[in-house]
Amino acid sequence: IIEGEWDDVFNTIKKCFEALKDECNRISITIKVDYRKGRVGALESKVKSVEEKLGRSVKKG
């Protein structure tokens, strides 16, 4: 799952493809776009909601 500005997201997808294409005989990419005007930080808020329900952090690193 990737969240961000349109060009940044698609540049990231392109970089991932470029990194794989020399090593892979086949690459399948499925993209679903869910655009909501004015909505930012949806992934962070979802992670925070899960953490609150669990009563602990789920972040790695």
Side-chain angles (χ1 to χ4, degrees), residues 16-40:
C16 292
F17 173 80
E18 293 294 330
L20 293 171
K21 73 177 186 176
D22 291 336
E23 301 293 324
C24 300
N25 292 327
R26 182 177 187 177
I27 299 170
S28 176
I29 299 172
T30 303
I31 300 170
K32 177 182 176 183
V33 176
D34 182 4
Y35 172 77
R36 294 185 185 181
K37 189 173 186 174
R39 176 106 184 213
V40 295

Side-chain angles (χ1 to χ4, degrees), residues 33-52:
V33 176
D34 182 4
Y35 172 77
R36 294 185 185 181
K37 189 173 186 174
R39 176 106 184 213
V40 295
L43 287 179
E44 284 185 13
S45 67
K46 289 179 183 185
V47 170
K48 184 177 179 182
S49 175
V50 169
E51 289 176 334
E52 288 172 357

Side-chain angles (χ1 to χ4, degrees), residues 1-3 5 12-13 17 31 34 40 51 60:
I1 297 175
I2 301 173
E3 180 181 44
E5 296 297 320
T12 300
I13 293 167
F17 173 80
I31 300 170
D34 182 4
V40 295
E51 289 176 334
K60 304 281 184 190

